[in-house]
Amino acid sequence: MDDWYEIVDERDLAQGDILLHCPVARVETFAHPLPDDLEVVVDRHHLIMLSQSCDLVNDKVDDVLLAAVLDYRDLVAREGNANPVVKSKKFRKGAVDGNLPSYSLLPPFDGVPNFEWSLVDFHHLFTLPKVYAEEFAEAAGARLRLVPPYREHLAQAFSRYMMRVGLPTPLGDFEGLQV
């Protein structure tokens, strides 16, 4: 399944770029009114670029949108006891079939950089300054980038996640309609 990726080693970013161990700063706690001193924590995450390539190339954005990428085995080790569903065959089949709206499945890559079966987690989104993401990408060296049509597959999965609507009144009565 190495045909899902190309290896790039450049500063320029594109949709589908995977940034491994990328530092992300976050404010530990917020209070209102905002205090003069904020406690900032830096976490490292595997991230994938969701911002569109055309916006990146044409300097249409100052900040980029990224989603967390979870190594599947790490997810099972971390959450498998509390949530045994994540280690089930049904969960894996749902990921393969695209029936887990908050996740998108990524296959492994056996080369360098090595990449295991992973899930893009749309529940955990991040924004970073574009310049910072470019500098990190350049310093990190070789990285994976999704290629078409897999890049568009990811974008479609994200759009399905964002556009889902829970109706207040179900339309199940239609099933019993006599014609």
Side-chain angles (χ1 to χ4, degrees), residues 35-80:
D36 291 335
D37 294 327
L38 295 174
E39 183 179 339
V40 176
V41 176
V42 176
D43 299 316
R44 288 188 177 267
H45 297 276
H46 296 335
L47 303 172
I48 191 163
M49 183 67 60
L50 296 178
S51 295
Q52 293 187 340
S53 295
C54 59
D55 290 339
L56 297 166
V57 169
N58 293 309
D59 289 324
K60 300 234 174 157
V61 294
D62 294 326
D63 297 309
V64 294
L65 180 64
L66 305 112
V69 177
L70 309 174
D71 178 294
Y72 177 69
R73 291 184 191 279
D74 290 347
L75 176 67
V76 168
R78 190 176 63 244
E79 297 181 19

Side-chain angles (χ1 to χ4, degrees), residues 70-89 91-92 103 117-119:
L70 309 174
D71 178 294
Y72 177 69
R73 291 184 191 279
D74 290 347
L75 176 67
V76 168
R78 190 176 63 244
E79 297 181 19
N81 290 336
N83 182 8
V85 170
V86 299
K87 58 184 176 182
S88 71
K89 186 174 183 177
F91 181 87
R92 291 190 303 276
Y103 296 111
W117 282 105
S118 296
L119 296 165

